[in-house]
Amino acid sequence: MNITFCCTDAAPEPWLQGLRAALPGADIALWAPGAPPADYAVVWAPPQQFFDEQPQLKAAFNIGAGVDALLKLQLPRQTQIVRLDDAGMSVQMAEFVCHAVIRHFREFDAYEADTRQGKWSFRKPQARADFPVGIMGLGVLGERVARALAHFEFPVKGWSRSPKVVDGVQCFSGTQGFKDFLAASRVLVCLLPLTADTRDVMNRDTLSQLQPGGYVINVARGAHLVDDDLLALLDNGQLAGATLDVFRTEPLPAEHPFWKHPKITVTPHTSARTLRSESIAQIAGKLAALQRGESVAGVVDRGRGY
Ligand code: NAP
Ligand code: GLV
């Protein structure tokens, strides 16, 4: 079995070493233009030339959860696209989102500002019941985040394309459930895949439907959020703040107003990182299953876009 590796923003050597150790029978090489045809690929945001030159691939393993960068390309018809299925990401996402929600709810930024000035002062505790958290996307990551927030006894709402049942979470689905979901949420967390249906989903109209004092946490993709609409609603006081991990252009350009906005916390697309050894173990397991003719989890439905 031949495997080609083409990942634009990962140092290749540790991946190649890890893949060779996990798949001792396979011939694994770094892709370069003109490389010989392979059976399988391990990729992250490869150039179009990669697929143009590898039309025979049986499957391409994406070393991330989101496949929006891949689906922008012209892909060979028979190549299965397989995404990472958790591989250590959901626990990171749960800790990141819980941290952002709790930091806002418990007013830790304000406490920090006070204590830096030597002030020993208390704020009136806010009621958890007044902080319903709505999670858009109840997939591998969203469901884990929803359960983690429910553990802290926040009222948790979830929204997905198809109907779901998650313990401790009030679930809404489809376009018909969206208005009610927004009206039931004060903190809004985006964990949707980026598709034609979800691009710009957080805009002036939808964000205005959140409960008063709304707070936005975007950990999915920058293009889910209309930047200027968020800024306008923060500046007119309709929204209380935002934690943003993902941006339309990454790295976030130095002149972008998000960097210095007092109500926005920026992190550099780090909420759930790809973990190399977990990812390699998962890819090796799925490759072995595919070789045995079995189906695997995480195969992307190209028509749906995720
Ligand atoms: P997933 O398992 O595919 O789950 C996607 C969820 O979104 C599903 O619940 C799906 O509904 C729902 N959904 C899709 N289209 C929808 C629509 N039009 N309306 C309502 N709900 C819709 O994905 P995941 O593994 O949880 O990952 C989600 C995204 O997180 C990724 O695509 C990626 O962009 C992002 N991500 C970011 C980071 C980071 O570091 N910031 C790390 C990893 C992933 P159904 O359940 O009905 O299908
Ligand atoms: C990261 O953003 C991923 O999609 O895995």
Side-chain angles (χ1 to χ4, degrees):
M1 164 171 66
N2 296 313
I3 303 174
T4 182
F5 180 86
C6 180
C7 298
T8 41
D9 67 355
E13 252 335 294
W15 280 91
L16 291 168
Q17 274 175 24
L19 285 164
R20 286 177 185 135
L23 295 158
D27 182 353
I28 303 168
L30 183 62
W31 178 80
D39 303 310
Y40 296 99
V42 176
V43 298
W44 179 257
Q48 179 62 51
Q49 184 183 7
F50 173 80
F51 285 109
D52 292 345
E53 292 186 6
Q54 298 282 331
Q56 74 300 322
L57 287 172
K58 293 181 193 146
F61 292 89
N62 185 52
I63 57 169
V67 290
D68 43 293
L70 266 190
L71 296 189
K72 278 196 273 194
L73 304 176
Q74 299 279 24
L75 301 171
R77 195 183 297 244
Q78 86 295 340
T79 305
Q80 280 194 317
I81 305 297
V82 188
R83 47 155 290 184
L84 281 183
D85 202 15
D86 195 336
M89 277 195 246
S90 72
V91 66
Q92 297 178 66
M93 198 53 100
E95 68 199 5
F96 185 98
V97 174
C98 287
H99 174 268
V101 171
I102 291 167
R103 178 173 163 172
H104 175 58
F105 170 65
R106 295 289 303 270
E107 301 183 84
F108 285 143
D109 285 344
Y111 274 111
E112 191 179 332
D114 285 354
T115 53
R116 283 195 187 281
Q117 293 175 32
K119 277 197 214 154
W120 182 275
S121 58
F122 295 105
R123 286 161 192 275
K124 186 169 176 286
Q126 311 193 77
R128 225 165 276 269
D130 294 339
F131 274 80
V133 184
I135 299 162
M136 297 193 288
L138 286 175
V140 174
L141 303 182
E143 182 174 337
R144 176 81 181 248
V145 168
R147 289 185 192 279
L149 286 163
H151 175 76
F152 286 110
E153 299 180 15
F154 288 100
V156 183
K157 321 287 166 182
W159 181 62
S160 51
R161 208 163 74 121
S162 54
K164 293 263 177 314
V165 178
V166 181
D167 258 4
V169 179
Q170 186 185 4
C171 295
F172 300 80
S173 63
T175 42
Q176 71 290 353
F178 195 38
K179 258 188 171 319
D180 290 344
F181 163 79
L182 290 171
S185 304
R186 174 164 174 181
V187 178
L188 185 68
V189 179
C190 183
L191 269 167
L192 293 165
L194 182 63
T195 67
D197 291 337
T198 65
R199 181 174 293 275
D200 298 333
V201 63
M202 288 179 285
N203 55 50
R204 183 182 276 270
D205 172 41
T206 56
L207 295 178
S208 301
Q209 295 177 51
L210 295 174
Q211 294 184 358
Y215 192 90
V216 172
I217 299 175
N218 189 13
V219 278
R221 287 292 182 263
H224 285 122
L225 174 69
V226 180
D227 294 4
D228 287 344
D229 289 1
L230 174 74
L231 289 167
L233 294 172
L234 288 171
D235 293 344
N236 74 12
Q238 240 183 299
L239 291 177
T243 292
L244 306 176
D245 184 51
V246 287
F247 306 93
R248 285 181 181 258
T249 305
E250 294 183 1
L252 183 64
E255 66 284 3
H256 198 290
F258 286 170
W259 279 114
K260 294 208 172 122
H261 198 288
K263 294 180 179 170
I264 295 179
T265 299
V266 165
T267 54
H269 199 143
T270 195
S271 50
R273 305 287 294 270
T274 293
L275 303 178
R276 194 169 53 238
S277 44
E278 283 83 344
S279 305
I280 288 172
Q282 184 173 108
I283 291 168
K286 288 184 180 182
L287 259 169
L290 288 180
Q291 291 283 82
R292 292 191 299 269
E294 295 167 11
S295 57
V296 296
V299 174
V300 172
D301 176 337
R302 293 196 206 174
R304 219 173 51 159
Y306 66 99

